[in-house]
Amino acid sequence: MSAKDAYHHGNLRRALLDEALAVIAEKGVEGLSLREVANRVGVSHAAPYHHFTDKTALILALAYEGMGLMDDAMAGAEDAAGDDPKARLLGIGMAYVTFAVEHPDYYAAFNAPEVNDPGARAAAPAGPPAEEQGNTWERLLNAILACQAAGDLPQGDPVVLAIYLWSLVHGLAELWRAGPLPLMPQGSLGLEPMARQVLSAALGSMEAAAGTGTKPAWQPCDKEGKE
């Protein structure tokens, strides 16, 4: 169903969200405006304001929706991996990379400056219930803690490990989307095989460090950021 069809079926909010995703896919978040979205859906310029107070509210709505969809993908990957903690963590990482590449519109929305601006988020209307937003960060932390308990990852601050792995999957997605990785021999078979090799190598090196009792390069920090 197209955005205009959704509107004519009585769901203007859904139509506006779908058309906003289309604008982001074409022009990026910076090219998004409520006026253009209204024009594309075929409603007055005032109509979107019944659902979104401003552009930031629209972007946040897309971000929350995208985060929920990514979390669903991560949950499915965890379930498919079975009970092995490292396989479940690998599944989460693969789900992140795949979602980011296959849904660049949502990915752009939840990485938009407005989403990471506490002031903008505080001023916007309350988001959807937590279960609809998903909780990708908590899912990642829990998977890391399970791996540490199983001896698959070194002991240390799990938040630092989470930031390390988050940086890895974010970088993989960005480099694939930007173009360099598909041009490399390792990327010739596609995103999934290459990303799985990279993530498996990273987790394997961390597991080796855990097995040898190597002291991690990080230590938990106090509230002032001191080790």
Side-chain angles (χ1 to χ4, degrees):
M1 181 181 293
S2 70
K4 287 188 178 181
D5 289 337
Y7 166 57
H8 290 304
H9 280 78
N11 192 345
L12 176 57
R13 186 178 189 278
R14 181 71 260 163
L16 294 169
L17 289 170
D18 289 343
E19 208 56 63
L21 288 171
V23 173
I24 291 173
E26 295 172 17
K27 303 181 179 182
V29 174
E30 61 278 4
L32 180 66
S33 71
L34 287 173
R35 178 179 290 270
E36 178 166 1
V37 171
N39 287 340
R40 290 185 178 217
V41 174
V43 296
S44 71
H45 293 162
Y49 292 94
H50 294 294
H51 299 276
F52 308 104
T53 55
D54 55 19
K55 174 182 172 179
T56 294
L58 176 59
I59 292 172
L60 285 170
L62 292 172
Y64 290 138
E65 185 171 80
M67 290 173 189
L69 292 171
M70 177 180 273
D71 193 50
D72 288 344
M74 288 180 170
E78 275 192 296
D79 290 342
D83 296 327
D84 180 67
K86 193 171 74 168
R88 291 172 69 85
L89 181 57
L90 176 61
I92 288 174
M94 289 297 301
Y96 183 104
V97 175
T98 302
F99 185 92
V101 172
E102 293 183 351
H103 302 281
D105 41 12
Y106 278 121
Y107 190 67
F110 61 66
N111 284 294
E114 293 87 347
V115 175
N116 299 300
D117 181 347
R121 294 185 69 160
E131 61 270 17
E132 294 181 21
Q133 298 179 35
N135 199 333
T136 55
W137 177 249
E138 183 175 296
R139 187 178 300 282
L140 175 58
L141 277 178
N142 286 339
I144 287 171
L145 288 168
C147 284
Q148 288 181 315
D152 293 332
L153 291 180
Q155 298 303 309
D157 187 349
V159 172
V160 174
L161 274 176
I163 293 170
Y164 166 69
L165 292 173
W166 183 13
S167 301
L168 177 60
V169 293
H170 180 82
L172 273 173
E174 289 294 329
L175 288 170
W176 185 270
R177 293 173 59 210
L181 294 186
L183 301 177
M184 299 179 69
Q186 292 82 356
S188 62
L189 296 179
L191 171 66
E192 196 275 341
M194 188 215 64
R196 185 172 295 276
Q197 279 189 317
V198 173
L199 294 177
S200 296
L203 294 177
S205 65
M206 295 164 75
E207 183 179 18
T212 59
T214 302
K215 183 178 178 180
W218 60 87
Q219 294 294 328
C221 296
D222 60 24
K223 293 181 179 179
E224 296 180 355
K226 300 177 180 178
E227 293 187 355

